[in-house]
Amino acid sequence: MGTHRDIAARRTVALVGPSNAGKTSLAEALLWKAGAVGAPGSVEKGSTVSDYDPLEKRTLRSLNTSLLHFEHRGVTTHLIDTPGAPDFLGQSLPALEAVETAAIVINASAGIEPMAVRMMEWAKQRERDRIIIVNKIDAQGANFQALVADIQAAFGKECLPVNLPSQKGERVLDCFWKMTNDGPPPDFSSVEQAHRALVEQVVEVDAAFVERYLNDGDVAPEELHAPLEQALREGHLVPICFVSSRTGAGVEELLDVIERLLPDPSESNPPAFLEGEGERAKPIKAVADPDKHVLAHVFKVTQDPYVGKMGVLRVHQGTITRDSQLYVGDSRRPFKVGHLFLLQGKELTEVPRAVPGDLCAIAKVEELHFDAVLHDATEDASIHLKPLDFPVPVHGLAILPKRRGDEQRLHDILLKLVSEDPCLKVEHAASTNETVVYGLGELHLRTLLDRLTEVHNCQVETRPPRIAYRETITAPAEGHHRHKKQTGGAGQFGEVFLRIEPLPRGTGFQFVDEVKGGAIPHNFMPAVEKGVHLAMEQGVVAGYPVVDLKVIVYDGKHHTVDSKEIAFIQAGKKALVAAVQAARPCVLEPIVNVEISAPEHNMGDITGDLASRRGQVSGTQASTVGALTVLAQAPLSELASYQSRLNSLTGGQGRYTLAFSHYEAVPPTVQTQLASQYKVKDDA
């Protein structure tokens, strides 16, 4: 079994933040400095441990989370390298659930980018300890003092340097353990000043230390372990570290911070486990104790063509061994752990056990799925993690196989790819008989297509991106339909009367049975509901799913011989169509939050262009010197191929991110156009 000493020697860190911040190169530098690899790999040469996927090597960017580990000075550190593009938040966000510390990596010359702001906010919401790593400090012209001021303005005065760059980023000076500096001066501030600010921030969480500090003028860093961990837990301190993954400056100091300052699994805020569902769910505290019963969380699933299905998990409580009998969620049948693996990029190393704080993988267990909780006690069947607030995928692409007969194979592969990414969704559009894949952006969907063709050898054709329109109603109405069919012998008969009422946006669907006196026998009511669902899926106005309505079935008729399920399915379907047509229906379109970073002198052109796309600008904020970030909302349908438009407006210097905000009714002219297109398809 594990020991508590094992737990104290564990660190878990996720490198998160924008693309081009150098997270993968930083991971390589840490592995090299800790002695886990003989030489640091290169992203450009495709030789890094974490970007091992052929697509990552070809595109020179991280597309998946990658697990790494190293041992240094008796401490085992589990490191997660995450993709920086907003399209892959389905990969990077779950990494926050697996670690004690979120390390937000910032490019010294690019400054604070939207993805850094997002990851800081998400890590704060999930109560992770946070540190900021300023990478690429060897870049020419980097203004460290201005950057720290920007960081404190964006994230709070609790963001304080624990080390300082010196000699234009050629080296880094520790400010926590060393109270003075005898060598070359830092590039800004002073070691003494930074040390004093850190100690003052830490002692504030403990009145006894405040008194000692006021009386003695300083407190030895070695005595500050407990208040330091409390300050990190409460977000009262967010350390800033400086590093260059290219030259290695600051890497040794970063290892020091990881091993000496960052929390072990018993020192951080516990994961947000809940027992029960909905409003009755109550928090459950997992304890980083290897002797208690097992609680582990699957935060990543991969479908490897050679290894098969693999669940990557974080052990929060208890000890998992190769012979453990574990349950998946509320499953009543346990599975036996055959093999337990430690991951180093694509390399798998079998290990005999995993204790709290370990990140490991279990292969070839079909029941494993993303977000599953593994446990070894039947009384823990209703425990789950508080769900992550993922962005809603709204970029759609209709997809079909090039070869006839490959439809089922394509469907099976898509389901595998969707199981790996909670921000991918597959729908079958009944009105057009199309398979539509939804993702977070153009890059997200392009990567999916590359995986289909290059990894799974499935050739496909695509149609232009579909917008995830929805339909709803704006007034109550009634609908009625009698389905009667006589074809010799027993016929078909079913009659349904129903009312519909609009529900608040985002509520979904409610079905109420108010039939009295057996006018519709109880056994036929599921058929009525099925018919209602079919009509809602197919759409009424323009062929898009109907949402946010309440259906009340209040009367009907049946025939003792001719009434069948199919008759009530058809009656329910046609009654709902009639009701929706009378309920002032409208088409809803997805509205997205847009963040555009571009040179300041292009702002007028950008805001004017957004206005022409029915966009509304809510404000601007400074990002880096000479650049601004525009915050706006716009209909997703107006932003097709927006990057090419932004390139022409900014000379290729603009970047943007989208995040789903809400649904809103389309203008009448757009609704008329969508409805007319649907009728053409309907008549065909």
Side-chain angles (χ1 to χ4, degrees):
M1 297 293 282
T3 68
H4 292 275
R5 193 177 301 145
D6 292 332
I7 312 303
R10 294 284 190 277
R11 304 289 182 271
T12 57
V13 181
L15 300 176
V16 297
S19 297
N20 298 319
K23 298 183 295 296
T24 299
S25 300
L26 178 58
E28 287 294 313
L30 287 167
L31 288 174
W32 173 64
K33 190 63 81 171
V37 295
S42 161
V43 172
E44 290 73 25
K45 293 178 182 176
S47 58
T48 63
V49 177
S50 53
D51 284 0
Y52 57 84
D53 185 306
L55 286 179
E56 293 177 316
K57 292 182 179 184
R58 178 165 65 75
T59 58
L60 302 182
R61 70 189 312 155
S62 297
L63 304 173
N64 310 291
T65 49
S66 188
L67 272 70
L68 314 162
H69 65 274
F70 55 82
E71 289 192 29
H72 186 246
R73 297 192 196 121
V75 174
T76 298
T77 297
H78 292 281
L79 198 63
I80 306 181
D81 180 23
T82 70
D87 290 43
F88 302 111
L89 282 168
Q91 294 283 331
S92 53
L93 278 182
L96 298 178
E97 298 300 312
V99 297
E100 268 69 58
T101 304
I104 293 83
V105 185
I106 291 174
N107 183 330
S109 53
I112 301 169
E113 298 178 76
M115 191 64 171
V117 178
R118 278 175 146 185
M119 297 311 294
M120 277 290 280
E121 187 56 39
W122 271 312
K124 185 178 181 181
Q125 287 174 5
R126 300 305 278 197
E127 296 187 325
R128 300 296 88 196
D129 290 23
R130 291 167 293 155
I131 66 169
I132 294 170
I133 301 174
V134 177
N135 193 14
K136 304 190 179 182
I137 59 172
D138 56 313
Q140 278 192 338
N143 187 335
F144 303 122
Q145 187 164 2
L147 180 55
V148 170
D150 288 345
I151 288 171
Q152 291 180 338
F155 306 129
K157 295 291 186 184
E158 61 270 22
C159 301
L160 294 171
V162 292
N163 51 46
L164 292 170
S166 176
Q167 296 175 299
K168 295 185 178 179
E170 286 185 13
R171 57 179 297 198
V172 165
L173 308 174
D174 162 54
C175 302
F176 188 70
W177 291 282
K178 290 181 182 176
M179 303 170 203
T180 57
N181 174 44
D182 301 327
D187 293 331
F188 73 100
S189 184
S190 70
V191 170
E192 296 86 346
Q193 186 181 333
H195 175 79
R196 191 164 59 249
L198 279 168
V199 174
E200 287 176 1
Q201 190 74 7
V202 170
V203 298
E204 277 182 3
V205 301
D206 190 315
F209 276 106
V210 171
E211 193 171 334
R212 275 188 57 192
Y213 181 75
L214 291 174
N215 290 335
D216 303 342
D218 204 355
V219 179
E222 291 75 18
E223 297 182 68
L224 290 176
H225 184 82
L228 174 73
E229 296 308 333
Q230 184 182 342
L232 289 170
R233 268 197 310 275
E234 295 174 356
H236 191 68
L237 174 64
V238 179
I240 303 173
C241 307
F242 291 87
V243 70
S244 168
S245 54
R246 189 181 70 85
T247 67
V251 176
E252 188 72 49
E253 287 79 5
L254 181 56
L255 280 173
D256 254 8
V257 168
I258 290 171
E259 291 154 11
R260 297 172 70 180
L261 290 189
L262 296 189
D264 68 43
S266 68
E267 292 173 325
S268 68
N269 292 316
F273 279 115
L274 299 171
E275 186 171 29
E277 298 293 334
E279 293 179 3
R280 295 184 178 181
K282 58 179 183 178
I284 292 290
K285 187 174 180 181
V287 182
D289 186 336
D291 300 325
K292 287 189 174 289
H293 52 90
V294 170
L295 280 177
H297 175 244
V298 178
F299 66 94
K300 178 179 170 69
V301 169
T302 63
Q303 299 271 5
D304 190 279
Y306 305 104
V307 180
K309 190 174 191 178
M310 188 162 68
V312 185
L313 54 103
R314 157 69 193 256
V315 182
H316 290 285
Q317 180 177 289
T319 300
I320 298 177
T321 66
R322 278 185 294 207
D323 296 321
S324 292
Q325 297 271 350
L326 298 178
Y327 297 90
V328 181
D330 57 5
S331 170
R332 297 186 178 184
R333 289 182 56 191
F335 71 90
K336 184 179 178 181
V337 178
H339 303 279
L340 200 59
F341 297 107
L342 200 57
L343 298 176
Q344 188 76 300
K346 68 177 178 181
E347 300 298 327
L348 305 179
T349 304
E350 193 158 356
V351 291
R353 64 187 176 93
V355 298
D358 277 336
L359 277 55
C360 56
I362 297 173
K364 297 180 180 176
V365 177
E366 281 305 310
E367 299 93 324
L368 292 181
H369 58 86
F370 172 75
D371 215 25
V373 169
L374 307 185
H375 57 93
D376 59 0
T378 51
E379 63 266 25
D380 292 340
S382 61
I383 291 179
H384 58 96
L385 263 183
K386 181 182 177 183
L388 274 165
D389 189 15
F390 285 110
V392 178
V394 286
H395 287 257
L397 194 64
I399 188 168
L400 63 158
K402 277 188 177 177
R403 287 194 319 185
R404 292 189 65 179
D406 268 4
E407 288 81 6
Q408 187 59 46
R409 180 167 176 261
L410 172 62
H411 180 73
D412 292 344
I413 295 170
L414 285 174
L415 288 182
K416 284 184 178 181
L417 293 173
V418 167
S419 74
E420 295 181 357
D421 189 336
C423 290
L424 279 173
K425 188 173 70 171
V426 175
E427 279 185 4
H428 184 74
S431 58
T432 55
N433 195 29
E434 288 179 328
T435 296
V436 183
V437 183
Y438 290 99
L440 297 182
E442 295 168 29
L443 176 62
H444 200 191
L445 294 175
R446 192 164 68 242
T447 303
L448 172 87
L449 295 178
D450 288 343
R451 288 209 186 290
L452 278 171
T453 54
E454 296 181 27
V455 179
H456 297 278
N457 196 26
C458 182
Q459 303 302 315
V460 296
E461 294 176 354
T462 61
R463 292 179 185 156
R466 287 171 53 91
I467 304 299
Y469 291 109
R470 296 291 181 258
E471 299 176 13
T472 194
I473 59 171
T474 60
E478 297 202 359
H480 157 249
H481 186 77
R482 172 186 288 190
H483 179 80
K484 187 175 182 182
K485 201 171 184 181
Q486 201 73 38
T487 54
Q492 295 178 10
F493 181 85
E495 188 168 8
V496 171
F497 292 83
L498 53 78
R499 287 191 303 272
I500 59 175
E501 300 170 2
L503 289 175
R505 199 67 46 83
T507 308
F509 169 67
Q510 291 178 18
F511 184 83
V512 181
D513 175 6
E514 287 188 359
V515 175
K516 304 280 195 302
I520 300 175
H522 187 68
N523 58 309
F524 286 128
M525 196 53 72
V528 176
E529 186 172 0
K530 183 177 180 181
V532 165
H533 273 293
L534 284 172
M536 289 175 63
E537 288 169 11
Q538 292 177 4
V540 176
V541 179
Y544 297 99
V546 183
V547 295
D548 301 335
L549 80 162
K550 183 178 184 177
V551 177
I552 303 143
V553 180
Y554 65 90
D555 202 1
K557 288 182 183 174
H558 73 287
H559 188 280
T560 50
V561 175
D562 290 350
S563 282
K564 298 178 177 63
E565 279 194 10
I566 184 66
F568 278 103
I569 288 172
Q570 290 300 317
K573 182 178 174 182
K574 298 285 179 62
L576 186 88
V577 169
V580 169
Q581 288 171 339
R584 297 209 301 271
C586 71
V587 176
L588 303 173
E589 64 181 340
I591 305 296
V592 291
N593 294 321
V594 193
E595 290 186 8
I596 305 166
S597 297
E600 196 170 345
H601 63 268
N602 295 128
M603 285 301 133
D605 293 337
I606 289 170
T607 53
D609 184 65
L610 281 172
S612 72
R613 296 168 183 268
R614 296 192 281 131
Q616 292 186 327
V617 175
S618 57
T620 58
Q621 58 189 36
S623 49
T624 55
V625 178
L628 287 176
T629 297
V630 177
L631 308 176
Q633 286 192 336
L636 179 65
S637 60
E638 298 284 349
L639 297 173
S641 304
Y642 184 64
Q643 187 62 58
S644 59
R645 176 61 179 156
L646 190 58
N647 288 343
S648 68
L649 290 173
T650 64
Q653 295 185 65
R655 295 188 306 281
Y656 78 102
T657 62
L658 300 180
F660 173 77
S661 173
H662 63 283
Y663 272 94
E664 204 170 273
V666 300
T669 52
V670 176
Q671 179 157 323
T672 302
Q673 183 186 355
L674 291 170
S676 64
Q677 290 170 352
Y678 176 56
K679 282 172 185 159
V680 169
K681 290 175 186 172
D682 214 26
D683 295 337

